[in-house]
Amino acid sequence: MSALLTRALEKRANTWSQMQEILAVAEREGRDLTAEEREKWDRAEKDVTEASQDVERLERMARLDTVQRDQLVIADGPTGEDRGNTDPEAAYRGAFGQYVRGGMSGLDNEQRQLLMSNMSEVRAQATSPGSAGGYFIPTETLNQITETMKAYGGILSLANVLNTTSGNPLNWPSNDDTANVGAILAENSQITEQDVTLGQKTLGAYTYTSKLVRVSLQLLQDSAFSIDTWLPRKLGERIGRAVAAHLATGTGTGQPEGLFTNATAGKTGTTGQTTSIIYDDLIDLIHSVDPAYRQSPNTRFVMSDSALKMVRKLKDGNQLPLWQPSTQMGVPDTLLGYGVTVDNGVPVPAANAKSIGFGDVSAAYVVRQVAGGQLMRLEERYADYLQVGFFGFMRLDAKPDDTSAFRVYAHSAT
């Protein structure tokens, strides 16, 4: 664990303890908070929020660092006899890195053949790269994009992700047999019939683009700058932000259907709770999900940062805070014993809003990704600016799967 992350975790825990002490003093003396105590509380709450953001940021960087950077920084590909001793994926990465920096004119014949051939499963479904200028992103680089997307959208890191090699409609059967039970069979009696009812769901493949990134020729020629690392990260951030919003509240028409969009309300706030929630509501929300799902290690709360701020102020019947900040890297903050995932694509607390979800997201939600993001290089379009344009795109769809595994808290309308 880095020293920065350790300090951020300690700062958050210490500040949270100070906030609880402010409340404890007022409760022992049987009075409301004074103006000075409210001011201290607000300052401390701001510090907790900033420290939490630092923790999330540093943990995100730790996850990104698990990608082997030495495999991504490939400004110069192998040549001559060395290339014959290199595995096909490594050779392709080298050719791809050369292409990013110098375009097709910077490649030798072997490298051009590598880019245009189907040398691995990752590139098996490429679409005429020679004419369109698009080439499949190498496996390790694509993994980096995926990690970045997870960092910017919490739901993606929890869902059941299916990777396919093509974007054809993907059908699979669905079934809810929980209402059917077996029975005692009397002697010499015929067994009664109870058919299994199957449904069908279909996942398509919407195309998400990073939009255009323009890079100067000077930067491309600068071997000290790792364009092979920087560019995929930018693509991943942009695509990830767009995906995150749809995975939370997508309409399902022309875009994925979000996890929260049509989720069943396990608890609805009483009149007046348009932007608030109480302890009993959270208990009811938890118990609206069947114990079979509550016992899963993947079960947790999902909410926006604004909803987390609301929840942090809640206490149980013994006046103990419900939210417990973690002091260890990799150990999540907990709420009533369950982990909390923050995804700002989830609606903020508001009238009628579904601002908090609870359940096993891996069972409740499925994401289909078409293997292989692609990158295109626009060399002539910005030549008079001495710039090269890049954009990436990848195909994805998502839908609720087992709707019994996830419930939401809905605020009152008034």
Side-chain angles (χ1 to χ4, degrees), residues 244-265:
H246 291 162
L247 296 190
T249 59
T251 64
T253 301
Q255 59 187 242
E257 180 182 338
L259 174 64
F260 281 69
T261 303
N262 295 306
T264 301

Side-chain angles (χ1 to χ4, degrees), residues 76-330:
D76 297 314
T79 57
E81 295 181 0
D82 292 337
R83 190 176 295 137
N85 299 322
T86 304
D87 68 90
E89 286 298 329
Y92 184 82
R93 289 195 301 270
F96 183 84
Q98 290 286 77
Y99 166 72
V100 169
R101 287 187 179 276
M104 291 299 290
S105 62
L107 304 178
D108 58 30
N109 289 333
E110 272 190 77
Q111 289 173 323
R112 288 193 185 94
Q113 290 299 319
L114 282 174
L115 287 182
M116 293 187 289
S117 65
N118 296 325
M119 291 189 61
S120 73
E121 293 181 3
V122 173
R123 298 185 303 282
Q125 303 298 323
T127 55
S128 59
S131 59
Y135 295 93
F136 266 83
I137 299 170
T139 305
E140 289 80 4
T141 307
L142 181 62
N143 287 342
Q144 182 182 3
I145 291 180
T146 302
E147 289 299 320
T148 308
M149 288 173 63
K150 289 181 180 179
Y152 281 86
I155 291 175
L156 180 60
S157 65
L158 304 175
N160 176 23
V161 179
L162 306 176
N163 289 291
T164 61
T165 57
S166 70
N168 297 332
L170 178 64
N171 302 318
W172 81 98
S174 62
N175 168 248
D176 181 359
D177 200 51
T178 55
N180 301 322
V181 296
I184 294 176
L185 181 66
E187 187 175 358
N188 298 320
S189 298
Q190 184 180 18
I191 296 176
T192 57
E193 296 183 8
Q194 180 65 67
D195 291 334
V196 174
T197 303
L198 294 176
Q200 180 173 284
K201 297 186 178 182
T202 303
L203 285 171
Y206 297 106
T207 301
Y208 284 84
T209 174
S210 63
K211 298 184 179 178
L212 193 71
V213 175
R214 291 197 283 175
V215 183
S216 70
L217 287 175
Q218 292 91 331
L219 192 58
L220 289 172
Q221 294 169 356
D222 186 0
S223 60
F225 182 78
S226 180
I227 190 70
D228 306 84
T229 301
W230 172 84
L231 190 57
R233 178 168 294 179
K234 293 296 106 179
L235 302 181
E237 288 175 357
R238 292 183 176 189
I239 295 173
R241 292 187 187 107
V243 169
H246 291 162
L247 296 190
T249 59
T251 64
T253 301
Q255 59 187 242
E257 180 182 338
L259 174 64
F260 281 69
T261 303
N262 295 306
T264 301
K267 178 65 178 179
T268 300
T270 58
T271 301
Q273 290 179 214
T274 55
T275 58
S276 62
I277 190 172
I278 60 176
Y279 169 70
D280 288 351
D281 292 338
L282 288 175
I283 297 297
D284 289 342
L285 176 60
I286 289 174
H287 285 271
S288 70
V289 176
D290 190 274
Y293 300 108
R294 297 206 307 266
Q295 295 168 4
S296 168
N298 300 319
T299 298
R300 59 199 300 108
F301 287 95
V302 182
M303 65 187 75
S304 69
D305 192 57
S306 296
L308 178 59
K309 180 178 180 180
M310 171 184 68
V311 167
R312 278 179 180 164
K313 302 175 182 178
L314 298 179
K315 293 187 175 182
D316 63 17
N318 296 317
Q319 296 303 302
L320 296 175
L322 304 185
W323 183 73
Q324 294 294 329
S326 170
T327 58
Q328 300 179 40
M329 179 182 177

Side-chain angles (χ1 to χ4, degrees), residues 314-366:
L314 298 179
K315 293 187 175 182
D316 63 17
N318 296 317
Q319 296 303 302
L320 296 175
L322 304 185
W323 183 73
Q324 294 294 329
S326 170
T327 58
Q328 300 179 40
M329 179 182 177
V331 178
D333 304 331
T334 60
L335 176 62
L336 294 172
Y338 293 96
V340 179
T341 292
V342 174
D343 190 318
N344 282 329
V346 177
V348 301
N352 279 327
K354 300 173 181 177
S355 68
I356 298 176
F358 175 81
D360 182 354
V361 180
S362 64
Y365 200 59
V366 60

